[in-house]
Amino acid sequence: MSDKRKIAEAVITRLSIYNRALGEIGKEGLEIISSDELGNRIGYSAAQIRKDLSCFGEFGEVGKGYFVQDLRDVISHILGVDRKWNVALAGAGHLGSALLAYPGFKQWGFNIVAVFDNDLAKIGKKWESIVIQDISELAKTVKEQDIRIGAIAVPPQVSQEIVDMFTSCGIRAILNFATASITVPEGVKLRNVDLATELECLSYFLTNEAEVRSEVLGKIKNSSGEGG
Amino acid sequence: MSDKRKIAEAVITRLSIYNRALGEIGKEGLEIISSDELGNRIGYSAAQIRKDLSCFGEFGEVGKGYFVQDLRDVISHILGVDRKWNVALAGAGHLGSALLAYPGFKQWGFNIVAVFDNDLAKIGKKWESIVIQDISELAKTVKEQDIRIGAIAVPPQVSQEIVDMFTSCGIRAILNFATASITVPEGVKLRNVDLATELECLSYFLTNEAEVRSEVLGKIKNSSGEGG
DNA sequence: GTATGTGAAGTAATTCACAGCT
DNA sequence: AGCTGTGAATTACTTCACATAC
């Protein structure tokens, strides 16, 4: 297929997951894999995987499956992760410092090349070889360092301000860790990592679904069954 | 409505967002709000909000709107966040330590009461008033401390092991920060916080959608329009 | 007049199922 | 025989629009 029509965000999310799984599978030495096998490993249906891939082209060998390395290269290219991206981080608190120290980012090709804060005690300090800058230097640094992605790890009260600063200096992709409802202009992609919501979903499940199940389990004693 | 039929996870996610917004609105002193106003603030449609709420009951005043505090209490109860939850954290690396130090969790009612690691250099050390334990003590501690939620911040290679340990000692709700495809038994709720996927979605957007748009913007020069 | 709650309508996402290729 | 790619069918989700209540 591979027309240029709107691809659902859920498809992209899954592509990323397929890609990671393919990496693991490749390390195991497997050269070819069917949509069925891949699906079993990561908990998606074979049909789902084939449909998702069909948005972008035909990458499989009929009767055989997908060449692991080839498919990985294709998906990496689709996702745009066959290159490096420079990232600016706003907020040098607990979360910010953990993100900076976390080796995953660089490993995946996302380099945090600048960190900003408004705390005078922090500005000028060196962290993981990066000097924390005053937020007022944002626009200049974004231009100089070709930064395309902004990460936000500031208190909720100031998160919208940071978003506005990011977008007004040309950043079109934002990863937000602040627990606040922020808005971005048309043409800017925002992804929220919302720990409060994640925990609250778990809380809902424990309160409304798991308990019911455990009552049932209690009644049928201890048959170790997960059947549902 | 409020029947006991299956509620979509997306609904729960939004309830959490409505709840946070209601908190902010309450602080501003507003006592009553319509679904329309609430929707405008957080970027959802009024119909969506009303439909979501209708899964659980009728909480509004026809012709007026919703009493902010009342609705907040109702949603908090639905989500099960009108109580405290004890959380076990596996992994005392960079990310784990940031999570532990992060004040949000406790503030939202999720107390990290135990931390586990397999690094002998870390075990026994005190962190934020919690002594890091060997992972072998997990089952005992989970029981003693009435821990219901497990958070995973370990390297991907061992994440499935931790999941299995958590589930086999009765934990039914897991927040996973490890970038790995893990599976849980039926009856256990897993939420993934997947930074690699989040970043890759942004990368996809920049590669496939934002660039196209900026070409268009380039052609029409600088009309500042966001028109979609 | 105003805003809820909700069937009905309309979209979107997923799964089915099979023709067609190797 | 085995597995992809994809229309068709199904299921899930969202929006519409209005009767109803204040």
Side-chain angles (χ1 to χ4, degrees), chain A residues 73-88:
Chain A
D73 291 345
V74 164
I75 296 179
S76 295
H77 185 70
I78 292 167
L79 293 175
V81 294
D82 53 355
R83 53 161 288 180
K84 302 260 184 266
W85 294 97
N86 287 339
V87 178

Side-chain angles (χ1 to χ4, degrees), chain A residues 31-69:
Chain A
E31 287 188 354
I32 194 161
I33 193 165
S34 67
S35 57
D36 200 51
E37 284 177 86
L38 177 58
N40 285 340
R41 279 184 179 244
I42 57 180
Y44 290 106
S45 75
Q48 177 91 80
I49 292 170
R50 294 203 301 275
K51 242 303 186 302
D52 286 348
L53 293 175
S54 79
C55 296
F56 300 95
E58 304 186 8
F59 309 117
E61 300 274 313
V62 175
K64 300 179 99 178
Y66 300 88
F67 286 98
V68 173
Q69 190 55 54

Side-chain angles (χ1 to χ4, degrees), chain A residues 4-7 9 12-17 19-21 24 40-43 56 77-81 83 85 87 94-95 97-99 101-103 105 108 110 128 148-150 156 172-175 177-181 183 185-214 217 226-228, chain B residues 4 6-7 9 12-17 19-21 24 40-43 56 77-81 83 85 87 94-95 97-99 101-103 105 108 110 128 148-150 156 172-175 177-183 185-214 217 226-228:
Chain A
K4 202 70 187 189
R5 62 187 192 299
K6 176 74 183 166
I7 310 288
E9 196 135 335
I12 306 307
T13 305
R14 286 191 299 264
L15 282 189
S16 167
I17 292 166
N19 213 27
R20 181 155 60 228
E24 292 167 12
N40 285 340
R41 279 184 179 244
I42 57 180
F56 300 95
H77 185 70
I78 292 167
L79 293 175
V81 294
R83 53 161 288 180
W85 294 97
V87 178
H94 281 302
L95 187 56
S97 65
L99 295 174
Y102 186 56
F105 286 78
W108 307 324
F110 298 86
E128 308 273 331
R148 302 292 181 90
I149 296 173
R172 287 151 183 271
I174 295 175
L175 186 57
F177 292 89
T179 52
S181 310
T183 59
E186 187 79 17
V188 175
K189 174 68 75 188
L190 171 70
R191 300 277 302 190
N192 290 301
V193 175
D194 191 332
L195 299 187
T197 295
E198 296 299 330
L199 287 165
E200 291 182 5
C201 286
L202 293 177
S203 166
Y204 172 84
F205 174 79
L206 290 172
T207 306
N208 300 278
E209 297 183 20
E211 297 304 327
V212 174
R213 181 175 295 271
S214 66
L217 288 177
E226 326 277 15
Chain B
K4 200 70 189 188
K6 177 72 183 167
I7 310 287
E9 197 134 332
I12 307 307
T13 305
R14 286 192 298 265
L15 283 189
S16 167
I17 292 166
N19 213 27
R20 181 157 59 229
E24 292 167 13
N40 285 339
R41 279 185 178 242
I42 57 180
F56 300 95
H77 186 70
I78 292 167
L79 292 175
V81 294
R83 52 159 288 179
W85 295 97
V87 178
H94 281 303
L95 187 56
S97 65
L99 295 174
Y102 186 56
F105 287 76
W108 306 325
F110 298 87
E128 307 276 330
R148 302 292 181 90
I149 296 174
R172 288 149 183 273
I174 295 176
L175 186 56
F177 292 90
T179 51
S181 310
I182 61 179
T183 58
E186 187 79 17
V188 175
K189 174 67 75 190
L190 171 70
R191 299 279 303 191
N192 290 302
V193 174
D194 191 333
L195 299 187
T197 294
E198 296 299 331
L199 286 165
E200 291 182 6
C201 286
L202 294 177
S203 166
Y204 172 84
F205 173 79
L206 290 171
T207 305
N208 299 279
E209 297 184 21
E211 298 305 326
V212 174
R213 181 175 295 271
S214 67
L217 288 177
E226 324 277 13

